Amino acid sequence: MKLFQKLIAAPAIITMASGFAVNAAEINQTEFSPFTKSPEVISTGDFKSDLLVPGDWAYDSLKDLSKSPRFNGSPVHRMEAAAELNRLIAGGEGLVNGAAIGRLSDELGSELAIMKGRVDGLEARVNEIEAGAFSETTSASFGVDAILEASDGGGESEAVGFHYAWEMKTKTSFTGEDTLTVAAEAGNGAGTSGGVLDFGASTGNAIEIKDVNYKFPIGDNFTMKVGDSLKISKSFNQACSYSAFTDTLSDCGDGKAHNVGGDISASGEYDFDNGFTFSGGVSGKKGATELLTKENPGIWALNAAYEADTYGLSLAYASDVDNAYWGLNGTYDFDALAVSAGMGFKNPDSGAESTSWMAGITLPEVGIGEVNLGIGTDGYFKDAETELLIYEASYGFDLADNIGMTVGAFIQEKAAGTDDITGVASTISFSY
């Protein structure tokens, strides 16, 4: 045990240090002082000599023990000699001559101490880096969207604007089957057209947390989601394959049932493994931090859907304090094109029922991208009211891996006496 008590470096440390071949001229106490405060570290000024030369007992002993080509009759630096000694100890070579190893460990103890201090310091720095890095089960994704748009009408003057939106999302798994998601966003507005387009994050350039939720399984087929700023509809399946350009048509004709909002929420989905799914949940109203209180009863909603290879159907129901909403959606893929349509029904506690609808066509292979053509109501309308429609056309394609671009145009009808809004826009999206 006495021999190994003399060893300053443990086998793992010695193994790392054995790769060092450092010139003595490069070693000084200032260089290593950040790495260790060990009293065993001796400055180079205390060394007997910077070199071992042929004829020195240490030189000849290392030559006999290691058979290394380093000892070819030319002097070697003491740090190189110490590295060779580390290699011998780490590999177990030469330990048959314990007396020689012990004596060499004493002679080169200062160099071994410096090497140990340097490796300890490197390990400490690596540990600091790893402590500040993502865990192995955490991933991060980022996205940047930018839009250049021009619009006219709606009682506003002509305008051309540029806006951006940034998003960061981290996902962590603790069991391999669950997911903790945290999403943040920043942006400088929804566009000059007053938010007609499905774009933007109006945070005034400030970074805001937009979603914190936790998803976990219960059994084989049931998945729960709980979180803040999490819509119940995140657990829903809506039968709509249309890629909308404007915000209203992105709801696929059903703005309040399939796309029910809310804030703090709990929802779940059961997958029957045969194409059918059933989902439901409860949520506080926007800005609420509590569920189902007397002052803020919140929202609850249900969804049933069926998805096959070429078609899908879905039905949703949602209820808040003052209204009940129904939504029906369907989609069919004809290979050359896909058709999506939907209807929404709003039933208030008092007053007349109102409806909304939408229809869209997707042409998936036009040049290097796809074309989307859509029409729908701009919200809910009662039977006695004149429906105001939105028309849109867009073309989306990839510029490169993780870079997509969409160009499009729209018309938003306005009430009599106000000019319709017409606009064109080009968006580019980066994901990384």
Side-chain angles (χ1 to χ4, degrees):
M1 293 297 293
K2 182 178 180 180
L3 169 62
F4 290 98
Q5 289 173 349
K6 292 180 179 181
L7 300 181
I8 298 169
I13 301 298
I14 295 173
T15 301
M16 293 180 61
S18 64
F20 291 164
V22 185
N23 292 332
E26 298 173 346
I27 306 302
N28 57 70
Q29 186 67 20
T30 302
E31 180 181 358
F32 292 106
S33 59
F35 299 133
T36 181
K37 296 181 179 179
S38 171
E40 298 178 85
V41 176
I42 301 174
S43 70
T44 55
D46 295 322
F47 290 174
K48 297 176 182 179
S49 170
D50 287 344
L51 300 175
L52 297 182
V53 297
D56 290 342
W57 73 267
Y59 183 100
D60 294 340
S61 294
L62 282 170
K63 178 179 180 181
D64 292 340
L65 290 171
S66 68
K67 310 299 181 184
S68 171
R70 292 186 185 183
F71 301 93
N72 59 1
S74 301
V76 297
H77 292 289
R78 291 176 64 92
M79 288 296 294
E80 292 181 292
E84 188 63 28
L85 176 61
N86 285 339
R87 187 187 68 80
L88 290 172
I89 297 172
E93 303 172 35
L95 292 184
V96 292
N97 193 336
I101 292 292
R103 189 179 179 192
L104 285 168
S105 297
D106 286 338
E107 173 67 22
L108 299 173
S110 299
E111 290 81 4
L112 290 171
I114 287 179
M115 294 173 67
K116 179 181 183 298
R118 185 168 190 176
V119 172
D120 286 347
L122 290 173
E123 284 191 332
R125 290 190 176 186
V126 169
N127 290 337
E128 289 178 2
I129 293 172
E130 290 181 345
F134 291 133
S135 68
E136 293 181 356
T137 59
T138 299
S139 63
S141 61
F142 302 84
V144 176
D145 298 331
I147 185 170
L148 180 65
E149 62 168 334
S151 63
D152 182 30
E156 302 289 339
S157 59
E158 295 181 10
V160 176
F162 176 82
H163 299 268
Y164 84 93
W166 170 89
E167 181 181 71
M168 178 187 73
K169 183 179 293 184
T170 63
K171 293 186 176 182
T172 301
S173 178
F174 301 95
T175 67
E177 297 181 340
D178 61 342
T179 305
L180 173 65
T181 300
V182 180
E185 67 179 359
N188 62 348
T192 58
S193 56
V196 176
L197 299 179
D198 186 19
F199 180 88
S202 301
T203 69
N205 295 316
I207 297 176
E208 296 181 358
I209 301 297
K210 77 168 188 175
D211 190 10
V212 178
N213 70 80
Y214 182 57
K215 180 179 74 173
F216 56 96
I218 300 177
D220 295 331
N221 299 85
F222 190 73
T223 302
M224 279 290 298
K225 290 182 180 180
V226 294
D228 183 57
S229 299
L230 178 69
K231 296 179 179 180
I232 300 175
S233 56
K234 290 294 185 180
S235 292
F236 285 7
N237 294 293
Q238 185 176 19
C240 182
S241 60
Y242 181 75
S243 181
F245 192 60
T246 58
D247 190 43
T248 299
L249 295 194
S250 67
D251 293 336
C252 289
D254 169 27
K256 296 291 185 177
H258 282 90
N259 300 281
V260 60
D263 208 316
I264 181 172
S265 69
S267 60
E269 175 192 349
Y270 191 90
D271 190 339
F272 292 88
D273 287 334
N274 57 4
F276 284 99
T277 58
F278 183 78
S279 309
V282 293
S283 175
K285 283 193 171 182
K286 190 68 175 176
T289 57
E290 297 176 324
L291 283 175
L292 306 178
T293 63
K294 181 178 180 180
E295 297 77 11
N296 194 346
I299 306 166
W300 64 274
L302 300 171
N303 165 245
Y306 177 76
E307 181 180 2
D309 291 337
T310 58
Y311 68 93
L313 293 170
S314 63
L315 176 68
Y317 173 81
S319 176
D320 58 24
V321 178
D322 301 315
N323 301 282
Y325 303 92
W326 287 91
L328 178 65
N329 280 103
T331 184
Y332 196 95
D333 188 350
F334 293 93
D335 289 334
L337 61 87
V339 177
S340 297
M343 290 195 68
F345 304 88
K346 177 181 177 181
N347 298 301
D349 289 344
S350 60
E353 177 184 284
S354 56
T355 60
S356 62
W357 62 268
M358 168 270 178
I361 296 174
T362 299
L363 303 171
E365 298 181 4
V366 179
I368 60 174
E370 69 174 27
V371 171
N372 287 278
L373 305 171
I375 181 175
T377 57
D378 189 12
Y380 290 97
F381 291 90
K382 300 175 183 178
D383 290 341
E385 296 177 325
T386 300
E387 292 182 341
L388 300 177
L389 304 179
I390 292 181
Y391 309 85
E392 67 173 36
S394 64
Y395 182 61
F397 54 95
D398 291 332
L399 292 174
D401 291 343
N402 301 321
I403 304 178
M405 189 169 187
T406 302
V407 294
F410 69 90
I411 299 174
Q412 181 187 34
E413 292 183 341
K414 305 300 288 185
T418 303
D419 293 336
D420 296 343
I421 296 178
T422 59
V424 294
S426 175
T427 64
I428 187 168
S429 299
F430 303 86
S431 58
Y432 53 99

